[in-house]
Amino acid sequence: MNFSGAVLRELGRPLQIETLSLKGLLAKDVVVRIKATSLCHTDLEAVEGALGTPVPFIPGHEAAGIVESIGKDVAHLKPGDHVVISWNPYCGTCYFCQRKQRIICSQYRANATKSFHFDGAPRIYAKDKPVHQLMYAGSFSEVVVVTEECAVKVPKELPFEVACLIGCGVMTGVGAVLNIAELEQGGTVAVIGCGAVGLSAIQGAKLANAGKILAIDRDPVKLQIAKQFGATDILLADENVIQACMQMTHQIGFDCVVESAGNEAAFQLSVEIVRPGGKTVWLGKVPVNQKVSFRWGSLMGEKRIHRSSYGGTRPEIDFPFLAEAYFSGKLLLDQYITSRIGLADVNEGLARLKQGKEIRSVILLD
């Protein structure tokens, strides 16, 4: 089988559309023909070299498509199924998986630096030379090979261009509130950073029946978008933001603060405005060797901090739940899409993402 994919061969250079092929498929492999894949900031970080992904590699991890073929030991999927890709394969038996912490599965972390299939071996080749898959996916391609757990069946009525959004950004933000924050009905939530993940946290707060949902951002335009996604209040991130947050909560602070901006100031703000005994969920990130400092008093008062990479997702449960929430009108998905492009336009799409001109650009594949 030959197919096309966008491959990065050298940092700082554009992705190239190349002809690829599959080799070495095993009994538990699932081959998915990608119909839509969206551009995420993690893809941009990888292309710029921030993640240390070995080249050549195929970026992309937010994707949806149709099962093309399955190995003989795949039990819960069949060709023709519509699936959303999850980038978190897991073994199910290691120390962490047994404690329901699949996001830090031992095998997942051990093979992550190789950026091949979950077993650490390549599946995709260009002229008989292996090509790496970003985040066990590499979905800027007409075809991907994943484990059975990473191809999550969704209703065929769900359009591919919105289905792909579920696999990362939407799940991470919604899950931060529904799965991690332990928010009580009527509770107060502040979301710092109103990109795709932050907007999803706002939607998660709405699904959790929060009483107040505050959106905080440096960009007034993003704050207006946040209101469309369910924010009850908006606040510009300026020198008065802490004082304004405390006034808004009668000097108590918010029950839950979700950080999704990914910078030192946002991390610092998150612990300043959460109430004593409240919970801060960090979704953003800075370079792994960067140090972030805090005012010690901001950490006092039994405050809890939870760093999350995937919103505590259980893909087999949460992806269908999000699909149903979309069908019922409780979850917005179409509104994330700011452009639709072809695979050949991937470099322009990444450039626009870096410039802050996109919430989500979706690559549509025939």
Side-chain angles (χ1 to χ4, degrees):
M1 175 193 296
N2 291 330
F3 53 93
S4 295
V7 180
L8 183 75
R9 291 201 167 269
E10 183 181 349
L11 296 179
R13 303 293 297 173
L15 278 70
Q16 306 172 33
I17 308 301
E18 300 188 15
T19 299
L20 306 170
S21 61
L22 302 180
K23 288 185 180 182
L25 298 181
L26 297 180
K28 292 187 176 182
D29 288 348
V30 177
V31 177
V32 178
R33 183 161 294 275
I34 298 300
K35 305 299 289 184
T37 179
S38 50
L39 279 62
C40 171
H41 277 89
T42 301
D43 301 314
L44 182 61
E45 291 170 355
V47 168
E48 293 180 338
L51 303 185
T53 309
V55 294
F57 75 88
I58 308 166
H61 60 285
E62 285 188 356
I66 302 174
V67 174
E68 183 102 337
S69 63
I70 59 174
K72 65 181 181 62
D73 291 342
V74 173
H76 303 296
L77 292 168
K78 63 182 185 301
D81 284 343
H82 288 204
V83 294
V84 171
I85 300 300
S86 167
W87 50 265
N88 179 210
Y90 55 91
C91 70
T93 59
C94 72
Y95 177 92
F96 298 102
C97 285
Q98 289 179 356
R99 286 155 180 80
K100 299 181 180 180
Q101 295 176 309
R102 302 186 304 198
I103 188 65
I104 48 176
C105 165
S106 295
Q107 185 175 337
Y108 171 91
R109 290 182 296 129
N111 288 333
T113 56
K114 298 177 183 176
S115 294
F116 283 130
H117 193 273
F118 186 46
D119 60 10
R123 296 293 194 276
I124 298 178
Y125 290 78
K127 296 181 179 178
D128 295 325
K129 293 186 178 180
V131 177
H132 300 272
Q133 298 171 248
L134 178 66
M135 298 173 69
Y136 297 109
S139 62
F140 291 178
S141 172
E142 293 178 331
V143 169
V144 301
V145 184
V146 296
T147 65
E148 182 173 8
E149 294 79 14
C150 287
V152 182
K153 188 176 178 180
V154 293
K156 291 186 176 181
E157 294 78 15
L158 186 66
F160 291 114
E161 65 178 33
V162 296
C164 69
L165 305 174
I166 289 175
C168 181
V170 172
M171 183 67 251
T172 300
V174 172
V177 179
L178 294 186
N179 296 337
I180 296 174
E182 301 172 330
L183 185 72
E184 295 183 3
Q185 184 170 329
T188 58
V189 178
V191 177
I192 305 170
C194 297
V197 174
L199 294 174
S200 300
I202 289 169
Q203 293 214 82
K206 188 176 179 181
L207 288 169
N209 296 311
K212 181 184 290 294
I213 308 170
L214 172 66
I216 303 173
D217 202 282
R218 296 171 177 171
D219 186 348
V221 174
K222 288 185 177 178
L223 290 176
Q224 292 304 316
I225 295 173
K227 291 175 69 174
Q228 300 174 23
F229 279 78
T232 60
D233 299 87
I234 58 175
L235 191 59
L236 198 63
D238 58 19
E239 65 275 8
N240 300 313
V241 64
I242 295 176
Q243 180 182 358
C245 286
M246 298 312 291
Q247 289 178 346
M248 192 176 294
T249 58
H250 308 289
Q251 304 304 316
I252 295 174
F254 287 87
D255 297 320
C256 170
V257 178
V258 178
E259 181 285 324
S260 60
N263 59 66
E264 184 175 23
F267 290 122
Q268 292 167 338
L269 176 61
S270 70
V271 292
E272 292 282 357
I273 64 175
V274 70
R275 68 166 174 82
K279 194 165 191 176
T280 295
V281 184
W282 287 345
L283 301 178
K285 55 185 180 294
V286 295
V288 292
N289 292 322
Q290 178 179 332
K291 294 182 179 180
V292 178
S293 62
F294 295 90
R295 184 181 68 84
W296 182 250
S298 69
L299 304 176
M300 300 295 287
E302 304 297 316
K303 295 178 180 180
R304 296 167 293 161
I305 299 171
H306 188 124
R307 161 63 194 166
S308 175
S309 294
Y310 208 2
T313 182
R314 305 149 300 169
E316 70 281 4
I317 297 172
D318 292 334
F319 287 9
F321 165 78
L322 293 176
E324 181 54 38
Y326 170 74
F327 289 134
S328 67
K330 296 178 180 179
L331 180 74
L332 303 181
L333 290 177
D334 300 88
Q335 291 79 355
Y336 287 90
I337 303 173
T338 44
S339 67
R340 297 166 176 82
I341 61 176
L343 188 62
D345 305 314
V346 63
N347 292 301
E348 180 182 350
L350 288 170
R352 289 180 58 82
L353 181 65
K354 185 174 183 178
Q355 295 163 5
K357 295 181 179 179
E358 305 280 5
I359 298 177
R360 277 295 186 265
S361 180
V362 175
I363 297 173
L364 300 176
L365 296 102
D366 294 331

